[in-house]
Structure formats: structure tokens, C-alpha cells
Amino acid sequence: MKRGVDQIQSALYDIDAVLEVHDARIPFSGRNNQLKDIIHIRPHILLLNKSDLADLSRKKEICDKLHEQGVTNIQFTHSTSDNILQHMKNDIIPLLLKEVESKPRFRTKAFNEYNILVLGVPNVGKSTILNKLRQTYTKKRKAAKVGATPGVTRSVMNKVRVNFDPDIYVVDTPGILSPKIGSDESGMRLALCDSLPSKLIGPDLIVDYMLYWFNKHRNFKYVKYCGLSGPTDNHLELLSHIAIQRQLVVPTKDPTQCEQKYRVNFAKAAEQILREYQAGKLGKVMLDDDLLDM
């Protein structure tokens, strides 16, 4: 990630504007301070992506707090929605170009040409946004590799043309996390949104945090979804129930008896419920709601 920051800094000379992509469920947690320094010297738009998974009942408060942090242009996006191409063409790109033209340009010799840097933490949809930009203007369906694993984009890529007249080029970047996560809570929220690989923490511990967050907020949608008889604060009880219900078991042999036995597969159950949570099947959430009150 340090190499990624160095690459971004070296590429800034040719960049006219920055499109920062972050997860709408954690609008404050995980935003890289190093990237903030880079952002402040170029016209900038913050896209809070995956907004379809976020509880935006306090949307105005989120925007007000981000304004206090120096973010003036905020757009909520859902990169796989039916109207994303229209949103890109009618709102995001015109706003970005307006911001570029309203300030002195670093590339004074560039005429009718714009280079846009797309950056953010891992697995928030940067490459998907790039692909949608490309589809918006050129009808080509794919420009950058997209994957479910954080960190698919490994390095700063060559710029990709996404529009003609004016010429708009977009540069994709690897996901960049802060070298030091601010707190355990922030780290768990990043992991719960899949911006940290689950194997670094352990899927079962992430489920434990998920269960803690739901119970703390008296959000018991998981009870009905998982078929529980009532709320629980024991993540192993939850995972055991899911494993038995879905027949997620591991065969084992008892050395003292000539028969095969089975034990519940906690790891598989944890992976499944996390995927379903991240797909929004347990409802919309705002993991950073406590930060709005600080």
C-alpha cells in the first residue's frame, strides 16, 4: 500500500481531479489520511458507493459532518443500479468538470482533455465505477478487472479513455488503507464491509462484532432471517444454528470407534452469513452512526 501511495503521488502532476470512492455504510471509518492530503490539492468528489446497503435516515447529518472535514462534493451511488449510467452522465461527470474549470489547472497546456484519478480503500467499487464511466460514453462494457476479494487492482494503471470531446481519461488505483487503523472498532467495521480480508481477523470474530452491533442497536432482523427463536449474544450459538440448519458439517473419524461422525463447520457458516450480510440480506445499516454524535 505504501508503494500504491507513492505511485499516486508521482502521478498527481498529470491529474486534473480526484474521484474518491468509499463505502456508504462507513462514511468516516477507514478514509485514509494520506489520501486526504492528496485530495485537498485537486478538485475532488466523494462517492459514497453501495448506498443501497446503507441506512441513510441521517443522510443530512452525514453530509454536514463530511463538510466539516473539508469534503464539499458528495454523491451517493449504487454502482450496479439500473440508473447508474444516467447518474454518471447527468450528475457526477458534469460536477467534476465544473470543479476542474472553477479552479486554476495544474496542466495549463491541456485543452479539452481531463485526467481523473479514482481512489479509495479496498473493495468499495472503484473498478466498477471506472467500468460504468466507460460504458456511459463508449458503450464498452469492461475496462478494469473487478473481483469480490479486496485488492484486485494491484497498481496504478495506464489511463483509460472514457469519453471523447471532451477527452476524459480515468486512472484506476489499488485500494489504499491507512498504515495504522484508527481503532479496533474502525478495523472491525472495515472488515464487516469487506474492505479488510476476513482471513486477517477471522470470519468468526467478524460475525461476533456483527452480532454485537445488531444487538447494541436493537436491530433483531437477524433473528428472523436466521430462523432463531430469539436474540443471542453468543456468536458460536448463531453459527452452530446456521451450520446445522444448512447442513454445513465436517466429517470426522472417532479413533476409538469404527464409525464416521460429523461436527459443525463454524468457518463455513461464518463465511456464508458474512456474504449474506454484505449483500444486504440482513437489512440496511449505518455502522458509523455513533460518529455522527461526536
Side-chain angles (χ1 to χ4, degrees), residues 1-2 5 20 22 28-37 120-122 174-183 186-187 190 195-196 200:
M1 291 189 179
K2 180 183 182 303
V5 171
E20 180 190 2
H22 200 64
F28 313 110
S29 293
R31 288 187 65 223
N32 193 320
N33 289 326
Q34 290 177 301
L35 298 185
K36 289 179 186 177
D37 294 336
V121 302
I176 306 292
L177 283 166
S178 295
K180 184 178 180 181
I181 304 298
S183 66
S186 180
L190 283 164
S195 288
L196 276 177
L200 294 181

Side-chain angles (χ1 to χ4, degrees), residues 237-281:
E237 179 183 331
L238 172 67
L239 293 177
S240 178
H241 176 84
I242 292 171
I244 293 170
Q245 183 185 59
R246 303 182 184 184
Q247 298 183 343
L248 302 175
V249 295
V250 179
T252 59
K253 285 189 177 181
D254 187 338
T256 63
Q257 301 178 16
C258 297
E259 61 178 301
Q260 191 174 55
K261 294 186 176 182
Y262 297 88
R263 60 180 175 84
V264 295
N265 192 333
F266 288 106
K268 196 71 174 178
E271 290 170 4
Q272 285 195 11
I273 196 63
L274 283 177
R275 279 199 302 268
E276 290 160 13
Y277 166 85
Q278 289 156 3
K281 294 183 179 180

Side-chain angles (χ1 to χ4, degrees), residues 90-110:
N90 296 343
D91 302 309
I92 295 171
I93 293 301
L95 178 59
L96 200 58
L97 297 184
K98 180 182 177 182
E99 284 295 302
V100 173
E101 294 300 334
S102 68
K103 300 174 183 177
R105 293 184 66 182
F106 285 79
R107 299 194 310 138
T108 55
K109 295 182 179 180

Side-chain angles (χ1 to χ4, degrees), residues 49-232:
N49 197 33
K50 303 186 180 181
S51 60
D52 57 311
L53 305 176
D55 175 6
L56 298 179
S57 57
R58 301 177 71 182
K59 185 175 180 179
K60 184 180 183 304
E61 294 173 68
I62 293 169
C63 292
D64 289 344
K65 191 169 185 69
L66 286 168
H67 289 158
E68 292 173 6
Q69 296 177 356
V71 181
T72 55
N73 296 305
I74 305 160
Q75 294 283 318
F76 291 84
T77 58
H78 172 196
S79 59
T80 57
S81 68
D82 293 336
N83 66 350
I84 184 62
L85 300 184
Q86 184 179 359
H87 186 33
M88 290 281 185
K89 189 172 185 177
N90 296 343
D91 302 309
I92 295 171
I93 293 301
L95 178 59
L96 200 58
L97 297 184
K98 180 182 177 182
E99 284 295 302
V100 173
E101 294 300 334
S102 68
K103 300 174 183 177
R105 293 184 66 182
F106 285 79
R107 299 194 310 138
T108 55
K109 295 182 179 180
F111 176 73
N112 210 35
E113 178 184 303
Y114 304 88
N115 291 336
I116 300 170
L117 186 72
V118 180
L119 52 74
V121 302
N123 213 27
V124 290
K126 298 182 302 302
S127 295
T128 302
I129 291 292
L130 189 155
N131 291 337
K132 295 301 180 182
L133 283 168
R134 187 176 173 92
Q135 290 178 40
T136 300
Y137 294 103
T138 68
K139 309 302 181 185
K140 293 183 179 179
R141 299 198 60 82
K142 200 156 189 179
K145 186 178 179 182
V146 177
T149 303
V152 166
T153 306
R154 296 295 182 181
S155 62
V156 177
M157 298 166 57
N158 293 328
K159 60 184 183 180
V160 176
R161 186 195 294 266
V162 297
N163 187 47
F164 295 85
D165 194 25
D167 292 333
I168 300 177
Y169 297 89
V170 176
V171 180
D172 196 12
T173 64
I176 306 292
L177 283 166
S178 295
K180 184 178 180 181
I181 304 298
S183 66
D184 291 342
E185 190 96 7
S186 180
M188 294 304 291
R189 291 174 186 182
L190 283 164
L192 198 47
C193 291
D194 205 24
S195 288
L196 276 177
S198 60
K199 63 183 180 181
L200 294 181
I201 298 173
D204 57 327
L205 294 180
I206 301 172
V207 171
D208 191 15
Y209 177 78
M210 179 191 76
L211 196 59
Y212 157 79
W213 190 92
F214 275 133
N215 289 334
K216 178 183 177 182
H217 291 80
R218 303 193 64 78
N219 182 337
F220 302 123
K221 290 181 181 179
Y222 73 89
V223 175
K224 182 178 179 180
Y225 181 82
C226 296
L228 296 170
S229 59
T232 178

